[in-house]
Structures are given as structure tokens and as C-alpha cells.
Amino acid sequence: MTAVPTASVLFVCIHNAGRSQMAAGFLTHLAGDRVEVRSAGSAPGDQVNPSAVAAMAELGIDISDQRPKILTTEAVQASDYVITMGCGDACPYFPGKKYLDWKLDDPAGQGVEAVRPIRDEIKGLIEGLIAEIDAQAAAGQES
């Protein structure tokens, strides 16, 4: 029996090729089916950044099958959390959603060595997000 996700998270960056893909990969890997995960970009690229794929593979997380997707209003409306990573005003706003803006360097055009610190920063942010989602789910079950 599959658990019902306790939250839905949308990661948004411009090209949906690096930061948002790594974040989605971490959240899927670390939270499993407890959280519904989406990612999108305001101007999606042609492919996921090969350096991001390689950096994630070093940690045993395969994002090589992912493809950049266009940001849609529907994806934002269907998400509890909308986490932006440098998309600025291109991200639509809907009341009732929790918006977080993670200031992360853009891995575009960078080698794996430059992507590793970004990857590691994203992992820490994801671990904090999971703790927040779990705490909210626990609080919701108590009421």
C-alpha cells in the first residue's frame, strides 16, 4: 500500500536543468513517497546539465532520465511548497502556498568540481525541508 504524500513540492529554476533537478532528485531519494515532487523551469533547457547528473551519480542518485519541463500555472496550483532558485518574476504567485527562495549558484556551464558544492548545499536545504514537512504532518495529525 502506497502512502498518501504529506506534501507536494515544486522546484523552479530558469532552465530546469541543474539546481531544480538536483533538488527534486534529493527530495525523491530522501523522502520517498511521503512527498510529491515536481520541478520546472521558466525557460527550460534542452537537457539536464551533465555535470549535475554526474555530481548526483557520485551520491548514488540517478537523475539522467529527467527532462527539463516548462513551468505551468497548474503545477504551482497543485503544490504546497514552491521553491524558487533564481527564476525571479517568472514564477507565478498563488495565495496559500509556501514560497521559499533558495539563493544558489547556477551550475550552468560548470564542471563537476564546481557543481559539487552547489549539490551539497541543496542536500542540506532538502534535509531541512523534509524536517519541516514531517513536523507539519505530525502537528496536523495531533489536531
Side-chain angles (χ1 to χ4, degrees):
M1 184 169 151
T2 303
V4 175
T6 57
S8 176
V9 178
L10 171 64
F11 296 103
V12 183
C13 66
I14 295 169
H15 301 296
N16 188 221
R19 296 166 289 191
S20 57
Q21 293 286 355
M22 288 190 288
F26 272 126
L27 186 55
T28 299
H29 180 76
L30 297 172
D33 60 3
R34 294 191 337 248
V35 178
E36 184 179 16
V37 181
R38 298 180 180 86
S39 70
S42 52
D46 296 329
Q47 66 178 15
V48 175
N49 181 331
S51 295
V53 172
M56 293 298 285
E58 291 176 350
L59 300 181
I61 301 172
D62 183 7
I63 61 169
S64 64
D65 62 341
Q66 298 301 306
R67 298 289 170 258
K69 296 168 279 309
I70 187 73
L71 176 63
T72 64
T73 301
E74 294 78 21
V76 176
Q77 288 175 318
S79 301
D80 301 311
Y81 290 79
V82 179
I83 300 175
T84 58
M85 304 170 180
C87 70
D89 294 337
C91 296
Y93 178 83
F94 293 96
K97 309 293 177 193
K98 176 144 188 180
Y99 286 86
L100 301 170
D101 186 36
W102 291 353
K103 305 283 188 213
L104 297 160
D105 291 335
D106 188 348
Q110 303 290 325
V112 176
E113 299 77 22
V115 173
R116 284 185 191 117
I118 301 167
R119 173 202 66 196
D120 296 344
E121 187 176 356
I122 291 170
K123 182 179 185 213
L125 290 165
I126 293 296
E127 290 168 342
L129 177 65
I130 291 170
E132 179 179 327
I133 290 170
D134 287 347
Q136 292 219 329
Q141 290 173 353
E142 293 169 7
S143 56

